Amino acid sequence: MGFIGTVWGRERGRWARDQLTPSQAVVYDRLRDLFEVGEYEEAEVGARAFAAASRRFWDRGPVVEWLAGALATAAAIAHGRGVEVLAELDALIADLERTTGAGRALLLDVRVNRVAALVDQGRYTEAEAEADGILRAAVRLAHLTKVWGIELSTLANLAVALCGQGRYEEAGAIARGNLPRAPAGTAATLHCVLVSSLNGQGRHEEALTEARRLTPLWVRTESGALDIGTATALHGLGRHSEAEATAHQALDACEQFLHPLHPRIQEARTLLSRITADGPLA
């Protein structure tokens, strides 16, 4: 399962952003904008420089470093490098445990990123347990601050974790139920999960119809994911030539836009090998 439901949009980290000085907020907003358009490498480098500048030139309060660390790790995960930042996420979460009230929204944001990192590594049962804990905590926080973005990102990652465990009907129900209210980045993940869940149930015709039902807004972190679902459906229907061409398209997108160690690249290669082995010539 190569989906990563990591999103760092305008509703994420809002409490911490409101604690910044005007000059700090300008820097942070520029970095967040880079993340939103898929410039993950630049966003991560900038966020780490932002934290370093805070230590040198600005106040020594922890909020800037917390916010910059959250954005930097989110960018790394979206790029496909979740394994590299898991220890950093754990340390950041431990540090954020001291926050109270609405400030705990940032803690939940970072925990959502940790779920995405676990999903990235195929640690689906751990990711499910963490997602369940986040959803319970979000309910307790809802009277203090907006938590809908946290909830949707968590549900997207939970659906991926369930799909990875072969619990396709549960994953599909979450994806279908939340697609209408999800913003672009989360909707892209949910759409791919829905296609994958249908394929997992052997409902390849429905999966193909769903994959082609709409053209979602392009989100870099989901590069190749929908094509993998489409190729899987075509393969399941015995349409080998179309499946092979679509799998090649998926692999090309993965290699162009994702980190070389991103798990989806290997997923696309494995699918392509399976389609080629099962094709008419074989």
Side-chain angles (χ1 to χ4, degrees), residues 13-277:
R14 181 169 291 279
W15 169 85
R17 193 265 183 207
D18 290 343
Q19 312 305 308
L20 302 181
T21 67
S23 59
Q24 290 170 337
V26 168
V27 175
Y28 171 71
D29 289 346
R30 181 180 62 80
L31 295 172
R32 182 191 57 198
D33 290 344
L34 287 171
F35 181 96
E36 288 183 345
V37 298
E39 297 291 344
Y40 302 132
E41 301 94 329
E42 190 174 350
E44 181 184 357
V45 170
R48 297 193 185 285
F50 183 38
S54 174
R55 288 191 292 270
R56 290 197 305 270
F57 304 119
W58 287 321
D59 65 81
R60 303 240 172 212
V63 173
V64 172
E65 291 188 53
W66 288 344
L67 194 56
L71 180 55
T73 50
I77 296 165
H79 195 205
R81 293 171 30 248
V83 66
E84 295 181 21
V85 296
L86 190 56
E88 184 179 355
L89 285 168
D90 289 339
L92 185 55
I93 288 168
D95 208 20
L96 284 165
E97 287 289 354
R98 67 171 111 156
T99 58
T100 59
R104 294 189 73 78
L106 183 59
L107 169 63
L108 295 188
D109 284 331
V110 177
R111 288 180 64 188
V112 172
N113 291 344
R114 185 175 187 275
V115 176
L118 292 171
V119 165
D120 191 7
Q121 298 173 57
R123 295 164 61 178
Y124 300 123
T125 55
E126 294 174 71
E128 180 189 0
E130 180 75 354
D132 286 341
I134 294 169
L135 291 172
R136 289 193 299 271
V139 170
R140 296 193 295 270
L141 196 61
H143 69 292
L144 293 175
T145 187
K146 293 180 180 179
V147 295
W148 68 272
I150 293 170
E151 290 175 338
L152 280 171
S153 295
T154 303
L155 286 167
N157 281 298
L158 176 59
V160 178
L162 293 172
C163 220
Q165 296 175 66
R167 293 157 62 183
Y168 300 114
E169 292 186 9
E170 295 174 71
I174 291 174
R176 197 182 296 278
N178 289 282
L179 260 171
R181 69 187 185 110
T186 309
T189 299
L190 290 171
H191 188 219
C192 292
V193 173
L194 180 55
V195 172
S196 184
S197 72
L198 291 168
N199 277 324
Q201 296 173 66
R203 298 159 60 181
H204 302 301
E205 193 68 59
E206 293 176 66
L208 185 60
T209 299
E210 179 61 38
R212 293 176 170 175
R213 181 176 61 83
L214 53 83
T215 303
L217 181 68
W218 183 76
V219 178
R220 182 183 172 190
T221 193
E222 295 302 335
S223 296
L226 190 57
D227 281 334
I228 287 174
T230 303
T232 301
L234 290 166
H235 183 221
L237 294 169
R239 295 162 61 174
H240 299 291
S241 296
E242 295 172 80
E244 184 174 349
T246 306
H248 272 295
Q249 184 174 306
L251 181 57
D252 289 345
C254 290
E255 291 179 336
Q256 181 178 356
F257 295 112
L258 303 177
H259 189 270
L261 297 180
H262 197 295
R264 194 177 304 135
I265 294 177
Q266 185 57 49
E267 182 181 4
R269 288 173 177 162
T270 300
L271 175 61
L272 183 58
S273 296
R274 187 166 70 247
I275 291 170
T276 303

